[in-house]
Amino acid sequence: MGELHVDEVGRGPAVLFVHGGLGDMHLWEPQAHALARHFRCIRYDLRFYGESRSPGVEFSSVDDAIAILDALEVERAAVVGLSLGGGIALDVALEHPDRVWALVHVAAGVSGMPVDVYSAEQTQAFEEAEERGDLRTMMEIDFAVWAPLGADETMRALWHATPDARGVPDGASPRPRPDSASRLEEIACPTLVVVPTHDPPDQQEVGRTVARRVPGAQLVEIDSDHYLTLREPERVNAVLEEFLSASSPASS
């Protein structure tokens, strides 16, 4: 149940972009349009983000990603995920390996590998701000952690497209995600891991761990913070295009 907002551009092997928790599909705007020269670039807003709508029901982000591919009659796609979306992309690759021809894990986490990058003071301040509906303070705490290089108006607008800003319907709950941390060695598709060097150190280490444990994975580090897709678009575009072009079914 629910309606997921989808955008696609370009032709060629399919690439499904999954955004992170600090915005909606527009976090991938520069990449989708740059790669559309050679790929069918598909983006969507996760439940409760951007223009997607959902009632208060139990849901699975992995099932939602597969439902998008099914609805668009895409047999296999490269799944490219940022932050929260990178964890979802990894889960998709493990749960549905037949649907994924490549995996890109960008500034992302791994289900079963918890990381807490907020200090106790930040967590308390965020929770107190949330209780009183102080969105500005909540946003600034997030930016202190994830945007140490500074936040512009685009990033602020994207933050307001998230459930932290909008809330979610009563009864909405994600199904437990799989323990992907124990299964990284099972990933068989070409894999690229991208780590921004201004992310919190523990978050960076998650990416490097994925790169070490996934067979044949490539690791690229980019001088940016968590907003690398917007802050360093040309660099990210080039890295993605090189990897996806080399890994594409059309190149084999």
Side-chain angles (χ1 to χ4, degrees):
M1 298 176 63
E3 296 181 358
L4 302 181
H5 179 63
V6 179
D7 176 85
E8 63 173 311
V9 61
R11 293 184 178 181
V15 180
L16 181 68
F17 291 91
V18 191
H19 66 78
L22 294 172
D24 60 15
M25 70 165 67
H26 292 92
L27 286 164
W28 284 119
E29 187 90 12
Q31 290 69 45
H33 287 281
L35 270 63
R37 294 172 296 178
H38 305 294
F39 299 95
R40 180 184 179 186
C41 296
I42 303 164
R43 294 176 295 153
Y44 68 103
D45 289 336
L46 295 168
R47 286 183 188 244
F48 315 116
Y49 289 79
E51 296 185 43
S52 288
R53 299 291 178 264
S54 174
V57 295
E58 185 181 60
F59 66 95
S60 162
S61 294
V62 171
D63 289 352
D64 284 349
I66 295 299
I68 295 291
L69 297 182
D70 289 345
L72 297 177
E73 300 183 342
V74 174
E75 184 175 344
R76 298 174 72 220
V79 186
V80 180
L82 170 68
S83 190
L84 168 67
I88 294 170
L90 198 155
D91 292 345
V92 171
L94 282 169
E95 297 296 306
H96 300 275
D98 58 318
R99 306 298 298 273
V100 179
W101 59 260
L103 168 66
V104 185
H105 185 268
V106 182
V110 177
S111 56
M113 193 181 296
V115 174
D116 187 359
V117 299
Y118 291 79
S119 69
E121 292 78 12
Q122 287 172 323
T123 298
Q124 180 178 350
F126 190 98
E127 291 173 351
E128 292 173 351
E130 191 172 25
E131 286 180 5
R132 63 178 183 268
D134 183 355
L135 298 184
R136 181 182 179 84
T137 295
M138 294 164 61
M139 180 172 61
E140 294 304 330
I141 293 170
D142 275 344
F143 287 155
V145 173
W146 301 113
L149 300 181
D152 60 20
E153 290 308 308
T154 296
M155 297 171 188
R156 293 175 185 278
L158 285 169
W159 190 92
H160 282 279
T162 70
D164 276 345
R166 297 180 173 186
V168 298
D170 290 341
S173 62
R175 293 178 195 157
R177 292 174 60 185
D179 180 15
S180 294
S182 66
R183 300 178 57 197
L184 294 175
E185 288 79 7
E186 297 177 26
I187 295 176
C189 64
T191 299
L192 171 67
V193 178
V194 181
V195 172
T197 58
H198 293 274
D199 249 0
D202 288 352
Q203 184 73 24
Q204 294 183 48
E205 186 54 30
V206 171
R208 296 190 184 104
T209 298
V210 173
R212 286 194 300 268
R213 290 180 51 194
V214 172
Q218 302 176 37
L219 173 65
V220 173
E221 299 192 7
I222 293 180
D223 184 17
S224 182
D225 58 21
H226 215 61
Y227 283 91
L228 69 169
T229 60
L230 302 179
R231 211 181 289 283
E232 297 291 339
E234 293 183 3
R235 172 68 171 140
V236 175
N237 295 351
V239 166
L240 291 181
E241 184 160 6
E242 179 180 6
F243 171 74
L244 293 172
S245 295
S247 306
S248 165
S251 66
S252 59

